[in-house]
Amino acid sequence: MVRRLFPRSIRARLTTVATLIAAVVFIATATITLATVPDNLRSMVQARVELAARRVAAEARAGNLPPVLETPSRVRILQVVSADGRLLASSPGPAQSLRLGDLKPTWPQVVRVGERTVSRSPDEPKTHYLVVAIAAQTPQGPVTVYGASPLTDVDRALKWIYVLVFIGTPLVLVSVAGITWISVGSALRPVERIRAEMAEITGQDLSRRVPVPDTGDEITDLAATTNDTLDRLERSAETQRRFVSDASHELRSPISALRAQLEVAHAYPDETDWQATGEQALAAADRLAGIIDELLMLARLDAGALSERRVVDLAHVAMDHVRRREGNRVPIIPDVCAAAPVHGSLMQLDRLLTNLLDNATRHAATRIDLEVAVEGDKVIVTVTDDGDGIPPQDRERVFERFTRLAPARAKDKGGSGLGLALSRDIAAAHDGTLTVADHSPGARFVVVLPLYGEP
């Protein structure tokens, strides 16, 4: 097994990543600081001292060298020493007793810089100095001009930098880790509540919902989406339970009628009209087969099963239906365009038209209008009957499975209430729609499917 580079917990992973990033940033910053700041601080002191020493060297070359040298601010020591080691001029006070002659420029070097730890008097502690030595030629001969400034402030500043780098960096990293751990834990606390609530939800009780935090962030969106998903699952589970109940009821009726007919025929064989009994049994079997076929097709559509698809001319399919239904109780009046190609399953699209025309036949009084037209990039199929129509409040309910309105049950007791539901699912599977449009008298069903190819 490959070892995990990071902990499994999101909280621990984020804390580790944040600490590593902070460590990289602080280490890089500390490295740059330690590499540049000490030299920069010493360079500033050196520039001050060198400027003062060059001024004295210029006076010595001009022969205007006073015995007591004026010392600028922050430059403690200025001395002029002859080639034989004699002190020709010096800063006032204890600086006259210091000897810096061991730091001498060598030709062709004119300026030499070094550091010394010396004491200006026996009573003073030793001080860390930066010393600059400049060679100069005077009328009396060659001399060396020395300038020195204490590095006390520089050493103090560097000490604080080292403390901040070597002690402050670990403390900062610990603080970053702690703050990240607490912050991530606080941010993930709603997620834990969502997880705990989800763990309590079972298939028998889908009414519970996860808490939605009011933070307005991604976790709020996650909780809202989770509740939306639970809403859909609850509706789906309820629809499935109702579907199973209705399917059992719809299948039980023809089976019970068939069984009753056969039991009577079996009990009184001599008094039974076997031809009529066979016809009734065959009708019940046909109804059972129709219900089962529709249930199977609905199940395939629900499962997302893809049937074989090709280019189907709905105009041709519609005219086939018109020819097959010639001589029926209600005539079909076609208004079909020359061609209406769509990409889909011939079996399913034929079933869609079959269900719509069967539904119209059950409710029509004198005629059925079947129209197939191409409008832009859409194929529109319209089936209109002149029956009682569908109330506006029931126009969506008729597409629910096993839903049959009271007028439909009174006119035809053989329907299953699956045809329109199956037709809408077929339309949706072909990226189309099936709706009920306003029409009086009667009902108008409108199917809209994408046109295949160029119009």
Side-chain angles (χ1 to χ4, degrees):
M1 179 182 292
V2 180
R3 177 180 292 180
R4 289 179 176 270
L5 296 178
F6 292 97
R8 183 171 179 269
S9 165
I10 293 178
R11 188 180 190 182
R13 286 205 301 268
L14 291 178
T15 301
T16 302
V17 170
T19 305
L20 289 177
I21 293 174
V24 170
V25 172
F26 276 96
I27 289 173
T29 304
T31 301
I32 295 173
T33 300
L34 295 178
T36 60
V37 170
D39 290 340
N40 290 338
L41 293 176
R42 285 181 170 84
S43 296
M44 293 172 59
V45 176
Q46 176 184 336
R48 253 191 337 258
V49 175
E50 187 173 339
L51 180 63
R54 287 185 182 278
R55 179 179 58 79
V56 173
E59 292 178 352
R61 292 189 190 98
N64 299 325
L65 184 67
V68 178
L69 302 175
E70 181 182 351
T71 305
S73 174
R74 297 187 180 182
V75 177
R76 291 283 185 87
I77 302 172
L78 285 173
Q79 291 181 349
V80 180
V81 180
S82 65
D84 56 4
R86 288 181 298 108
L87 185 64
L88 301 179
S90 175
S91 302
Q96 298 178 2
S97 62
L98 293 177
R99 294 293 181 265
L100 303 174
D102 59 335
L103 186 69
K104 292 183 178 181
T106 57
W107 183 261
Q109 186 181 33
V110 178
V111 179
R112 190 176 179 188
V113 181
E115 296 183 15
R116 296 290 184 271
T117 302
V118 296
S119 177
R120 294 173 56 182
S121 69
D123 299 332
E124 290 186 4
K126 289 186 176 183
T127 305
H128 189 201
Y129 284 90
L130 184 141
V131 181
V132 175
I134 298 177
Q137 185 68 33
T138 68
Q140 291 78 22
V143 298
T144 302
V145 179
Y146 293 97
S149 179
L151 292 174
T152 306
D153 294 339
V154 173
D155 293 339
R156 186 182 299 111
L158 291 178
K159 184 183 296 183
W160 279 108
I161 290 175
Y162 294 144
V163 169
L164 290 176
V165 169
F166 295 107
I167 297 178
T169 298
L171 292 177
V172 170
L173 294 180
V174 171
S175 300
V176 168
I179 293 172
T180 305
W181 180 268
I182 295 172
S183 300
V184 174
S186 176
L188 292 179
R189 196 169 295 118
V191 177
E192 175 58 25
R193 289 197 291 267
I194 293 173
R195 185 207 63 79
E197 187 66 26
M198 287 292 292
E200 297 293 329
I201 297 175
T202 63
Q204 286 72 34
D205 181 15
L206 293 173
S207 61
R208 299 177 63 170
R209 296 294 178 266
V210 301
V212 179
D214 57 358
T215 53
D217 53 12
E218 290 83 356
I219 297 178
T220 300
D221 296 337
L222 171 64
T225 303
T226 301
N227 285 338
D228 291 341
T229 302
L230 290 173
D231 289 338
R232 292 193 297 271
L233 286 175
E234 185 178 20
R235 289 195 298 268
S236 177
E238 179 60 30
T239 300
Q240 184 178 14
R241 285 193 291 267
R242 188 170 62 251
F243 178 79
V244 171
S245 175
D246 292 342
S248 301
H249 174 75
E250 293 293 334
L251 291 173
R252 187 184 297 113
S253 298
I255 291 175
S256 299
L258 178 59
R259 181 180 179 85
Q261 293 167 6
L262 294 177
E263 286 178 347
V264 171
H266 183 267
Y268 306 100
D270 296 335
E271 301 176 8
T272 299
D273 184 348
W274 288 101
Q275 182 176 358
T277 300
E279 292 175 353
Q280 293 173 356
L282 183 60
D286 287 342
R287 184 184 175 194
L288 281 172
I291 294 175
I292 291 172
D293 288 343
E294 289 180 332
L295 288 173
L296 288 175
M297 187 172 289
L298 282 169
R300 293 192 191 99
L301 292 173
D302 288 342
L306 297 177
S307 58
E308 181 182 356
R309 298 199 173 192
R310 58 186 179 85
V311 179
V312 178
D313 187 354
L314 281 183
H316 179 73
V317 175
M319 291 309 299
D320 279 347
H321 276 277
V322 173
R323 285 189 290 270
R324 290 203 303 262
R325 293 171 183 266
E326 289 180 355
N328 283 5
R329 179 183 70 85
V330 181
I332 300 177
I333 311 301
D335 181 7
V336 179
C337 62
V342 298
H343 187 257
S345 166
L346 175 60
M347 179 187 68
Q348 292 180 0
L349 293 172
D350 183 79
R351 187 55 176 268
L352 186 153
L353 278 176
T354 298
N355 290 344
L356 292 181
L357 290 173
D358 286 347
N359 180 75
T361 301
R362 283 194 293 269
H363 296 89
T366 60
R367 61 181 285 170
I368 298 172
D369 292 296
L370 174 60
E371 179 182 355
V372 180
V374 175
E375 295 183 6
D377 59 350
K378 303 294 183 183
V379 173
I380 300 177
V381 179
T382 305
V383 178
T384 308
D385 65 70
D386 59 351
D388 296 331
I390 303 173
Q393 67 271 17
D394 293 326
R395 288 180 181 175
E396 281 299 314
R397 199 162 68 87
V398 295
F399 293 108
E400 297 177 2
R401 299 175 185 184
F402 295 110
T403 296
R404 301 186 69 203
L405 303 181
R409 292 184 180 274
K411 285 188 175 182
D412 182 10
K413 299 184 181 298
S416 64
L418 290 173
L420 293 179
L422 177 58
S423 297
R424 172 168 276 192
D425 286 352
I426 292 173
H430 288 76
D431 299 322
T433 59
L434 170 59
T435 57
V436 180
D438 290 331
H439 185 264
S440 180
R444 171 173 290 173
F445 289 85
V446 180
V447 181
V448 180
L449 298 173
L451 177 68
Y452 180 79
E454 295 294 330

